[in-house]
Amino acid sequence: MIAVYPGSFDPVTLGHLDIIERASKIARKLIVAVLTNSSKLCMFDVAERVEMLREVCKDIRNVEVAAFDGLLISYAQSIGANAIIRGLRAVTDFEYEFQMALANRMLDDSIETLFISTNAQYSYLSSSVVKEIAKLGGKVDAMLPEATHIKLLQKIGRL
Ligand code: PNS
């Protein structure tokens, strides 16, 4: 199975990394795909997000990191992926995730969306929460891979 794990990754958290590690054990090849044309206002540009992901995934041999824009399903088709991976943290994620999965299935029913439930220890984690805590001076080192933690502190002028 070739799987694509799409997201904003602004920045990659330990929650994302946990999903990447677990998905990489199921998929033959896992492409972590960073959305370029996001409507979200991002703290890191795409090149920075890709670089941070490459750094944290460098020891996982079947993981590649790429950027994509436009429709996820078109990107998945273009790389020959047969599955889309998404992490589920809590019930609150479900409606949005379910809608996305159904829409993607309408567009191409040969590409399955697979949900991986988060590790309980990361269920509260999101990139937005991490950025907010960091901007307000809180400690986020237990929430991010070390390389990402340093990049975030540099970005907000705390290093
Ligand atoms: O990390 P995020 O922000 O929750 O990821 C959302 C993402 C990138 C998976 C989603 O916004 C997406 O797939 N965007 C691409 C546009 C698209 O295909 N939209 C239709 C799917 S419903």
Side-chain angles (χ1 to χ4, degrees), residues 34-36 44-54 65 67:
V34 182
L35 179 64
T36 303
F44 294 94
D45 66 29
V46 175
E48 290 173 314
R49 283 179 275 150
V50 166
E51 190 196 315
M52 284 186 278
L53 276 162
R54 287 205 174 122
V65 182

Side-chain angles (χ1 to χ4, degrees), residues 9 11-18 125-128 130 143-145 148:
F9 303 106
V12 55
T13 65
L14 286 178
H16 294 128
L17 186 57
D18 174 55
L125 254 189
S126 73
S127 298
S128 314
V130 173
M143 305 175 186
L144 298 169
T148 312

Side-chain angles (χ1 to χ4, degrees), residues 6-9 35 40 68 70-73 86 96 100 103-104:
S8 305
F9 303 106
L35 179 64
K40 288 184 185 172
F68 80 103
L71 271 184
L72 170 62
I73 210 77
R86 293 286 289 171
Y96 168 64
M100 245 185 353
N104 284 326

